Amino acid sequence: MENLIDVNDAMVRLGGNKKLYVALLKKFNGEAMLEDLINKLKNGDSAAAAAQAHTIKGLAANLSLKDLKLKAESIELKIKGGEKNIDTSEIEQSLNQTVGAVNEWIEQNK
């Protein structure tokens, strides 16, 4: 779980406020954001896809979701580099693992 969520980093950022962190994690809707990214890629809208990848990267960074941030950053760079037919399987897997880890952490920290 440590490679997915850096709780210590989040606690520093949020002044140790676990309740706030739980609330922010519960609002995180990565599935919808990723679906939007994939649709933009499929539609060939590189600018919008890059912006969506950047948004996912920033939100993941703010929530200390380390692996998801790295995968979103990688996709953003590929899009901006002009790469076509970007494989999204790694970010999809990262999101699924991250959501599982987030749900587990929330359950343990009620």
Side-chain angles (χ1 to χ4, degrees), residues 40-70:
K40 288 174 177 162
L41 286 170
K42 285 180 183 175
N43 293 331
D45 191 346
S46 296
Q52 184 66 4
H54 183 79
T55 299
I56 295 169
K57 176 184 77 173
L59 185 55
N62 284 329
L63 293 174
S64 300
L65 307 176
K66 296 183 336 183
D67 188 64
L68 184 59
K69 182 248 180 208
L70 291 174

Side-chain angles (χ1 to χ4, degrees), residues 50-102:
Q52 184 66 4
H54 183 79
T55 299
I56 295 169
K57 176 184 77 173
L59 185 55
N62 284 329
L63 293 174
S64 300
L65 307 176
K66 296 183 336 183
D67 188 64
L68 184 59
K69 182 248 180 208
L70 291 174
K71 298 299 189 287
E73 183 175 42
S74 174
I75 286 186
E76 179 186 14
L77 292 172
K78 288 176 183 178
I79 296 167
K80 288 181 175 180
E83 193 172 318
K84 303 292 180 200
N85 301 317
I86 294 172
D87 181 5
T88 59
S89 62
E90 285 187 12
I91 193 170
E92 291 177 63
Q93 181 180 14
S94 178
L95 178 70
N96 289 332
Q97 291 174 341
T98 298
V99 167
V102 163

Side-chain angles (χ1 to χ4, degrees), residues 7 11 14-24 105 108-109:
V7 175
M11 289 301 98
L14 298 173
N17 190 337
K18 276 190 177 182
K19 285 185 179 184
L20 176 58
Y21 192 44
V22 168
L24 292 171
W105 187 85
Q108 293 171 356
N109 289 278

